[in-house]
Amino acid sequence: MTNPTKASTEGASSFARVQAGMARRRAAERRFKLLGRAAVGIGLLFLAVLLTSIVSRGYTAFWQTEMRLDVVLVADEIDPEGTRLVDTLHKADYSALIKQSLRDMFPEVSSRRDRFALYGLVSNGAAFDLRDRVMADPSLIGTTVSLWVPADDDVDMLMKGHIDREGPEADRRIKDTTLGWIDQLEADGRLALRFNTAFFTKGDSRDPELAGIRGALMGTIFTLVVTLALSFPLGVAAAVYLEEFAPKNRWTDLIEVNINNLAAVPSIVFGLLGLAVFINVFGLPRSAPLLGGLVLTLMTLPTIIIASRAALKSVPPSIRDAALGIGASPMQATLFHVIPLALPGMLTGTIIGMAQALGETAPLLMIGMVAFIADVPQGVFDPATALPVQIYLWADSPERAFVERTSAAIMVLLAFLALMNLVAVLLRKRFERRW
Amino acid sequence: MTQTPVLLVLLLALASAAYYFGCKRAFRVADGRIRNLHSLPGYYGLYVALWAALPALLVLGVWLALQGSMITRMVVASLPEPIQQLGPDRLNLVINDIRNLVSGNIVSGEPDAPTLAAAEYYRSLLGTSRGLLFVVVLSVAGLGGWFGYSKIRPQHRARNGVERIVNGVLIACSTVAILTTVGIVLSVLFESIRFFQAVPITEFLFGLEWSPQIALRADQAGSSGAFGAVPLFAGTLLITLIAMTVAVPIGLMSAIYLSEYASAHVRAIAKPLLEVLAGIPTVVYGFFAALTVAPFIRDSGSILGLDVASESALAAGLVMGMMIIPFVSSLSDDVINSVPQSLRDGAYGMGATSSETIRRVIFPAALPGIVGAVLLAVSRAIGETMIVVMAAGLASNLTANPLEAVTTVTVQIVTLLVGDQEFDSPKTLAAFALGLVLFIVTLALNFVALYIVRKYREQYD
Amino acid sequence: MSTQGQAMAFKLDAEPVDTQKPTVGRDVRETVGEVRVADPRVRCTDVNVHYGDKHAIKNISLDVGKGEVLAMIGPSGCGKSTFLRCLNRMNDTVRECRVTGEILLDGEDINASHIDVVPLRARVAMVFQKPNPFPKSIYENVAFGPRIHGLCNSKSDLDVVVESSLRKANLWDEVKDRLDDVGTGLSGGQQQRLCIARAIAIEPEVILMDEPCSALDPISTAKVEQLIEELRQQFSIVIVTHSMQQAARVSQRTAYFHMGDLIEVSETDRLFIKPRHQLTEDYITGRFG
């Protein structure tokens, strides 16, 4: 303030001092605000970097380089006796046919070493694709079929530009001769990036181009079904008891403190519990989704109980009074009047708990859901792995092609998480009630 | 295992039948007039149904839980003397073979006669057990139903009975949490005690060397291994410290900014976005740390002429800090928001600027709550597993240099327990001892933190 | 308005001639009485406040004289607190609140764009309804203002300011031996006097008090009222109260607010004895409020 009349007033001296300090204080204020803004900015930057790094590494995994082969289905090779028995068809040497078709395309390749390299262009899975094709339609035998088979992961990486063509040959996973073949194949239109269905339909594999998340996904689904089936009723029942019926005494205090503490116990400790109690004492099968579900139930239970109690708390006492006032028993008031009103909140809490369980890895490592399992599990007793564990396993694999698959699996996992949280948010919005 | 669902369906059917007959009988004893009954007929039905189902379910659960170990014990007892004399790990192999034979899986090598006999015995025991289970469960259900049925009289207080039972079930559900804690304590405690019989507790707590590589055979060189956990504690602390250095200032400042400065609009966007960080699974952070952050730090280090390990504590700590930012920020946000508006008014009313109000009034007032939040975050960081497993490495270095690789308690638990385990080797048991330490430390931290936060809230309620 | 010399009244034609009955009807909303004083510390002209769609303060013009205690009374929700908060721009902290009109402090518009609220609030300090000492020691509470405003260069200066402020607030004798105790540990009345000490430590020109005694017992109230009387020597004081007795005891002038309108301003004695507006009479005779 630059008011000359100020000089005459009695607060002048202190006011002048205040005025004198203002520049410094405003600067401090700006700095502080800037710090806050920077903090939020850094947080958001972290998020952006994290998501970008995952997506930019992973989106290519949804496409897979495939190679078009013309395979002569020589009847003598597949089914010399012409019986067309399923067993015979199943056992035939299809990879020989595939190799033959490769040799046909590159007749000039003769040395043993080169041929080996040539066969390596195609994935090991190509023979299985061919077999499935033939078994589905045995009349194809004797004809020449043209089919797309997955290319080897190195070819895939090259096509996606992850392998540097110009680098010294010795450091490259693809040598110059092979490069030549690949270029020729590409020029012939025999190499193309196509949508990677195997990623969604197959189980795990040692070969990146054959590895899919179906097995892990089913494992996760079975695990979560068990978790949901156990933790929702248990959690709601516990919350109802603690919030509505429990007397205030030391025992319920103990339960309460205990639940709050359990919510913050590291998840790996629940894994130790599962290992020592469920496997060693009760003899439940290792690696089974049932076991995973039990462990995750114990882990998510505190979350669900705390959320459900909050939901019950938000139902105004007037509802209970109204029910009690017309002669309902406390149990009836709770079951028929309070719980229905609290249900959306409880469901929201449960979904959030499930989302937590979905992303959980450490306890599953403890109970053996970390083994290499190529088969897709069919039930809660089959050995299985889970999506986050699959991510962990793939992240450990040395092949370059697993990096993009890991990122892609992460994208799928994050998509599921986003979906669950979205449902929770919508549920909350839809049923949100202000009393 | 398919019999269990069948049994459950049967029990459900029995319970429904019990409900139906219970209702009918209630009508009959009341001469068709509900007014004569103490409770609504449905409650009589429920009463009978609960009597039919609950005891049977209890029997079923206990039976299934104990079946496996009981049968195994009986089979082992039937094995020839020399096999029983084998060490526990060899015996386990035999048992595994037997189990595999029973379930029709491929067995390692050609099974010998005693194993085959044992497998046969196992199978027959299992068959008996299953048959017996059917009979016992169904008869318990029948008896229970009959008991409930016989109690129906007009003046019988069925609703109160049902409610007592439901109340009992609710209490049972709420004790699951207690049982979990007890289970955790017992499981880690027992195995830890076994561990401390092999390795003195003082060596474990104060030893400076950690190399749990136990030789496969007892006569192999260096078979003892070293179980001094200090390097693990130090590594855990180092990474936690780095994580806190990242998370506490950023989390706290963003909470302050969002609650005191940001417009409603910015807050509505930035807050949920920051919370996304909390919802991302830790395995994703681990992958990010190992593949993006660690190489980045190593490369930046080499530009600066620093020698950075490819699995540096810095990378793991940094990413862990990232993960904990929203945790700190939302807890501090709650704490800051519960500082009464009157204190802000008081400061503003005397001409304090926003930052002066925050630093000199709100922050000191909220300090206990913030300390509680930070303690919770520390406990979270100590127990965090996947990030360190994937990014921190296994080398047990006793160092304070964040550019070197260190290992943590959780990493070692995972390393020791993933793969084949033998429950009598100190190597496996050491994991439980580490688990015990982890549990005690985090429990203490949580306890103190929750206590502080609760006291803090009471102050302003 | 004899004490303030040449005061002017808006509604001269409504001036009652020694009748006891108010002459202005209930439906009239223009201000009756002497809104202006000769030597104002604060002069407000046509102040309006909107909260979103709500028109909380309507066209209020009012002066605060030097060395006077101005009481503002009226039924709850009449806008007296909102108006008080305009005087040091505390409404800035409330979102959706819009203030228009002119408020001059020593002739300068406090709502002008170049005015910083921080030094403004150092000149117009505020004491709140509920005692709100900071959760710090008594000493630190009083030292808070001087510290943030940089009024003292040394610890000994600060000691002097703290002591004199506590003395002025009639609190020194009660707390001088426990200056390091937490301020929140004092009794309600002591806390409120601590808040007043905190406000006078920054030597403001005006002290705004928003129902300062409503949370206090009668004895504490009496002490605070006595304090207000003493402080009048040095500061202009504007006090919002819903106790008419309190207004009558502590103030020289009283303003009566009704639903966002300033109904009547007079010397306190006159307002309570011979209200000129029917609404004022309704209120002071307890017909509503």
Side-chain angles (χ1 to χ4, degrees):
Chain A
M1 283 206 206
T2 52
N3 195 333
T5 63
K6 269 300 304 156
S8 62
T9 57
E10 57 271 28
S13 66
S14 78
F15 177 71
R17 279 164 178 259
V18 173
Q19 218 34 24
M22 276 321 292
R24 181 182 47 80
R25 290 168 67 192
R26 281 291 160 206
E29 172 76 15
R30 271 194 301 277
R31 277 199 303 276
F32 193 73
K33 198 169 170 182
L34 198 69
L35 264 181
R37 227 178 246 162
V40 176
I42 292 174
L44 296 181
L45 183 75
F46 275 152
L47 180 65
V49 169
L50 175 67
L51 293 182
T52 330
S53 98
I54 300 285
V55 172
S56 67
R57 277 177 202 277
Y59 74 98
T60 47
F62 295 109
W63 285 270
Q64 159 72 32
T65 308
E66 296 196 357
M67 191 185 293
R68 188 160 55 84
L69 293 180
D70 298 321
V71 186
V72 185
L73 296 172
V74 186
D76 288 347
E77 287 272 351
I78 301 172
D79 188 13
E81 276 117 51
T83 54
R84 299 290 191 265
L85 285 172
V86 175
D87 207 31
T88 324
L89 295 183
H90 195 86
K91 280 183 180 155
D93 186 3
Y94 294 97
S95 65
L97 297 175
I98 299 220
K99 286 173 185 169
Q100 182 60 48
S101 114
L102 283 165
R103 279 199 301 274
D104 292 346
M105 272 190 284
F106 297 99
E108 72 281 7
V109 178
S110 54
S111 81
R112 242 179 98 85
R113 249 179 84 182
D114 284 355
R115 280 199 177 164
F116 236 82
L118 181 63
Y119 302 152
L121 288 179
V122 175
S123 160
N124 295 330
F128 298 109
D129 283 5
L130 184 61
R131 183 190 70 198
D132 293 346
R133 183 85 175 265
V134 170
M135 292 192 51
D137 183 8
S139 68
L140 289 173
I141 296 175
T143 64
T144 300
V145 294
S146 169
L147 80 167
W148 288 94
V149 294
D152 187 66
D153 58 315
D154 286 338
V155 180
D156 188 40
M157 287 299 100
L158 182 81
M159 292 287 284
K160 287 170 179 166
H162 294 313
I163 294 181
D164 181 19
R165 281 166 168 272
E166 311 302 328
E169 188 180 4
D171 296 351
R172 244 188 285 134
R173 284 187 59 91
I174 294 188
K175 308 297 173 200
D176 285 341
T177 17
T178 322
L179 262 184
W181 300 330
I182 292 173
D183 289 341
Q184 191 185 334
L185 284 169
E186 208 181 346
D188 293 349
R190 286 182 176 274
L191 273 181
L193 280 173
R194 309 181 70 191
F195 184 72
N196 190 356
T197 42
F199 184 69
F200 295 100
T201 56
K202 294 220 162 101
D204 195 7
S205 167
R206 299 282 186 212
D207 297 313
E209 71 274 10
L210 300 178
I213 53 167
R214 174 103 187 276
L217 211 54
M218 292 311 290
T220 286
I221 289 172
F222 286 129
T223 308
L224 284 191
V225 165
V226 174
T227 309
L228 181 65
L230 291 172
S231 64
F232 182 63
L234 272 177
V236 168
V240 166
Y241 176 70
L242 291 176
E243 196 58 42
E244 303 284 327
F245 301 115
K248 258 273 165 231
N249 58 27
R250 298 178 93 177
W251 174 245
T252 50
D253 273 355
L254 180 70
I255 295 182
E256 181 143 8
V257 169
N258 185 44
I259 286 173
N260 287 334
N261 274 319
L262 269 187
V265 165
S267 59
I268 192 172
V269 173
F270 288 95
L272 289 176
L273 169 74
L275 178 58
V277 174
F278 293 139
I279 297 185
N280 285 352
V281 177
F282 292 134
L284 289 175
R286 276 173 74 88
S287 312
L290 176 71
L291 184 56
L294 280 172
V295 169
L296 293 183
T297 297
L298 297 184
M299 206 195 76
T300 49
L301 211 49
T303 312
I304 296 180
I305 294 178
I306 291 170
S308 301
R309 290 190 67 176
L312 287 168
K313 243 187 213 122
S314 72
V315 176
S318 60
I319 302 282
R320 293 176 188 88
D321 294 346
L324 296 178
I326 53 169
S329 69
M331 186 71 77
Q332 286 168 323
T334 304
L335 287 182
F336 304 122
H337 300 278
V338 178
I339 292 183
L341 290 172
L343 204 57
M346 294 171 163
L347 283 177
T348 312
T350 307
I351 293 174
I352 289 169
M354 286 298 111
Q356 239 177 45
L358 171 61
E360 199 50 70
T361 322
L364 302 184
L365 299 184
M366 299 289 95
I367 53 167
M369 291 185 80
V370 65
F372 171 77
I373 294 156
D375 295 328
V376 176
Q378 302 298 321
V380 293
F381 295 105
D382 288 353
T385 178
L387 199 47
V389 183
Q390 186 73 72
I391 291 169
Y392 165 66
L393 286 171
W394 281 353
D396 250 8
S397 306
E399 286 92 348
R400 176 68 181 75
F402 268 125
V403 171
E404 67 168 29
R405 260 149 233 272
T406 314
S407 305
I410 288 175
M411 284 160 74
V412 173
L413 179 63
L414 291 183
F416 272 102
L417 282 173
L419 188 72
M420 288 171 88
N421 282 297
L422 190 72
V423 170
V425 168
L426 289 181
L427 204 66
R428 192 178 300 160
K429 281 245 160 70
R430 172 82 178 71
F431 290 98
E432 195 169 49
R433 225 184 268 247
R434 298 233 171 264
W435 299 98
Chain B
M1 283 290 186
T2 50
Q3 58 156 13
T4 315
V6 175
L7 254 180
L8 285 177
V9 170
L10 275 177
L11 273 183
L12 191 69
L14 255 172
S16 317
Y19 178 79
Y20 175 75
F21 286 112
C23 290
K24 259 187 95 169
R25 181 173 157 102
F27 264 113
R28 213 171 49 241
V29 296
D31 304 323
R33 273 193 302 238
I34 297 175
R35 207 169 257 287
N36 291 344
L37 290 171
H38 167 269
S39 315
L40 290 170
Y43 278 107
Y44 291 90
L46 262 177
Y47 183 74
V48 181
L50 284 172
W51 264 109
L54 284 182
L57 276 177
L58 200 69
V59 170
L60 177 66
V62 172
W63 193 293
L64 285 180
L66 298 181
Q67 174 175 280
S69 48
M70 288 293 283
I71 292 183
T72 310
R73 202 162 301 159
M74 286 167 78
V75 169
V76 170
S78 81
L79 283 170
E81 200 66 9
I83 301 184
Q84 287 197 44
Q85 299 299 314
L86 290 173
D89 42 335
R90 299 278 301 281
L91 193 59
N92 261 336
L93 279 180
V94 175
I95 292 169
N96 262 337
D97 272 355
I98 295 171
R99 285 212 185 116
N100 281 336
L101 271 174
V102 170
S103 51
N105 286 348
I106 305 132
V107 203
S108 54
E110 196 59 35
D112 49 6
T115 315
L116 276 174
E120 195 47 50
Y121 184 48
Y122 193 106
R123 199 172 294 146
S124 77
L125 277 179
L126 198 60
T128 321
S129 161
R130 284 180 180 170
L132 217 58
L133 174 62
F134 245 90
V135 176
V136 170
V137 165
L138 291 184
S139 40
V140 167
L143 274 175
W146 178 78
F147 175 76
Y149 188 74
S150 68
K151 299 251 302 196
I152 295 179
R153 301 209 168 67
Q155 61 277 39
H156 175 61
R157 294 146 68 94
R159 181 177 55 74
N160 305 43
V162 168
E163 292 187 349
R164 252 200 314 280
I165 295 172
V166 172
N167 201 35
V169 171
L170 292 182
I171 292 178
C173 288
S174 70
T175 50
V176 168
I178 297 276
L179 290 181
T180 309
T181 310
V182 172
I184 290 175
V185 170
L186 289 186
S187 57
V188 292
L189 201 61
F190 271 127
E191 311 292 351
S192 304
I193 289 172
R194 286 175 63 194
F195 173 71
F196 291 132
Q197 282 162 357
V199 177
I201 188 163
T202 45
E203 188 198 323
F204 174 72
L205 285 181
F206 305 112
L208 298 182
E209 199 187 332
W210 177 266
S211 62
Q213 269 45 351
I214 293 286
L216 288 173
R217 294 189 317 276
D219 53 342
Q220 218 167 325
S223 63
S224 60
F227 292 97
V230 170
L232 313 192
F233 300 150
T236 308
L237 280 185
L238 178 62
I239 290 185
T240 304
L241 195 70
I242 298 171
M244 288 301 125
T245 322
V246 174
V248 171
I250 296 183
L252 195 56
M253 278 312 291
S254 40
I256 287 174
Y257 181 77
L258 290 178
S259 63
E260 303 287 323
Y261 283 110
S263 66
H265 193 64
V266 170
R267 188 179 156 88
I269 294 174
K271 203 167 144 62
L273 271 182
L274 272 186
E275 267 156 24
V276 168
L277 278 174
I280 291 176
T282 52
V283 67
V284 177
Y285 282 105
F287 178 70
F288 179 64
L291 254 89
T292 308
V293 179
F296 175 75
I297 290 178
R298 200 184 48 224
D299 295 347
S300 333
S302 64
I303 290 172
L304 296 173
L306 291 171
D307 188 23
V308 184
S310 60
E311 292 181 319
S312 60
L314 187 58
L318 203 65
V319 173
M320 195 188 282
M322 253 172 88
M323 182 193 80
I324 295 177
I325 288 174
F327 192 73
V328 174
S329 131
S330 66
L331 282 174
S332 330
D333 196 45
D334 286 353
V335 167
I336 289 170
N337 282 332
S338 59
V339 173
Q341 182 64 28
S342 67
L343 287 186
R344 289 184 181 82
D345 282 348
Y348 286 132
M350 301 177 52
T353 63
S354 298
S355 65
E356 284 158 356
T357 308
I358 292 161
R359 280 182 307 182
R360 290 169 182 258
V361 177
I362 297 177
F363 186 75
L367 194 61
I370 291 173
V371 168
V374 170
L375 285 184
L376 280 178
V378 168
S379 126
R380 182 92 187 250
I382 290 179
E384 172 46 43
T385 309
M386 291 321 291
I387 295 179
V388 281
V389 165
M390 295 168 82
L394 297 170
S396 61
N397 279 335
L398 190 54
T399 174
N401 180 356
L403 302 179
E404 281 184 45
V406 294
T407 191
T408 72
V409 172
T410 48
V411 171
Q412 290 303 319
I413 294 178
V414 169
T415 324
L416 294 174
L417 286 186
V418 168
D420 291 324
Q421 306 140 3
E422 300 157 32
F423 263 82
D424 54 342
S425 101
K427 186 183 159 199
T428 307
L429 295 176
F432 285 89
L434 290 175
L436 181 66
V437 172
L438 184 65
F439 181 70
I440 291 175
V441 169
T442 51
L443 195 72
L445 278 172
N446 298 340
F447 198 79
V448 173
L450 291 172
Y451 179 79
I452 292 177
V453 171
R454 202 175 63 223
K455 281 281 154 222
Y456 167 75
R457 278 183 200 285
E458 280 167 6
Q459 180 192 340
Y460 288 122
D461 268 348
Chain C
M1 292 303 298
S2 52
T3 51
Q4 299 295 337
Q6 20 153 249
M8 48 186 270
F10 266 2
K11 286 267 174 188
L12 278 177
D13 52 331
E15 184 82 15
V17 191
D18 282 333
T19 57
Q20 292 296 316
K21 278 285 134 198
T23 49
V24 182
R26 290 194 178 95
D27 46 348
V28 177
R29 285 295 185 270
E30 274 106 298
T31 309
V32 178
E34 299 75 25
V35 297
R36 297 300 185 208
V37 298
D39 185 15
R41 177 68 81 191
V42 182
R43 167 158 285 175
C44 306
T45 314
D46 291 335
V47 175
N48 281 282
V49 179
H50 295 264
Y51 283 112
D53 295 337
K54 196 181 162 225
H55 197 175
I57 295 285
K58 301 166 189 163
N59 273 323
I60 289 185
S61 301
L62 183 63
D63 281 4
V64 181
K66 289 180 183 156
E68 77 165 353
V69 176
L70 171 68
M72 304 205 283
I73 58 170
S76 329
C78 65
K80 52 193 192 297
S81 284
T82 304
F83 180 70
L84 185 78
R85 292 166 67 95
C86 289
L87 300 182
N88 72 344
R89 288 177 53 186
M90 275 304 277
N91 285 324
D92 285 14
T93 58
V94 183
R95 275 179 189 144
E96 296 218 315
C97 179
R98 199 157 41 83
V99 181
T100 58
E102 193 182 52
I103 302 173
L104 303 179
L105 174 64
D106 294 322
E108 193 171 17
D109 186 0
I110 65 165
N111 285 318
S113 57
H114 68 278
I115 295 295
D116 191 336
V117 293
V118 168
L120 168 70
R121 288 179 190 153
R123 291 166 67 190
V124 186
M126 189 153 182
V127 174
F128 297 85
Q129 181 171 3
K130 214 180 123 214
N132 55 354
F134 302 136
K136 303 173 168 215
S137 71
I138 294 168
Y139 182 93
E140 283 300 323
N141 261 286
V142 183
F144 177 79
R147 269 193 214 277
I148 59 168
H149 293 302
L151 299 181
C152 299
N153 293 327
S154 63
K155 175 83 168 82
S156 53
D157 278 3
L158 198 58
D159 289 346
V160 171
V161 170
V162 169
E163 180 176 342
S164 78
S165 306
L166 283 170
R167 278 189 194 283
K168 281 183 200 161
N170 294 337
L171 196 59
W172 176 252
D173 294 332
E174 293 163 57
V175 300
K176 65 178 178 224
D177 300 325
R178 45 176 178 146
L179 289 177
D180 291 330
D181 288 8
V182 208
T184 43
L186 296 171
S187 76
Q190 288 172 325
Q191 287 189 15
Q192 193 61 297
R193 277 180 285 147
L194 177 61
C195 292
I196 294 175
R198 193 174 66 185
I200 57 189
I202 55 174
E203 295 183 40
E205 296 160 29
V206 184
I207 301 178
L208 309 177
M209 297 187 178
D210 190 355
E211 302 190 20
C213 300
S214 65
L216 304 186
D217 60 86
I219 294 169
S220 307
T221 302
K223 285 187 177 165
V224 172
E225 285 178 5
Q226 187 202 340
L227 175 59
I228 292 172
E229 176 60 26
E230 291 166 21
L231 293 176
R232 181 165 74 92
Q233 313 305 324
Q234 197 183 339
F235 311 100
S236 297
I237 293 173
V238 185
I239 176 171
V240 163
T241 172
H242 53 214
S243 153
M244 282 176 276
Q245 290 84 346
Q246 186 171 55
R249 283 192 298 264
V250 300
S251 70
Q252 283 71 55
R253 285 203 307 148
T254 298
Y256 172 67
F257 284 71
H258 183 88
M259 296 180 71
D261 290 299
L262 176 55
I263 299 298
E264 181 166 351
V265 191
S266 300
E267 280 170 74
T268 301
D269 294 344
R270 169 165 191 173
L271 186 110
F272 285 112
I273 294 164
K274 279 194 289 179
R276 282 169 277 186
H277 198 293
Q278 188 64 50
L279 284 170
T280 317
E281 197 203 24
D282 288 351
Y283 182 69
I284 61 178
T285 54
R287 219 162 291 176
F288 60 78

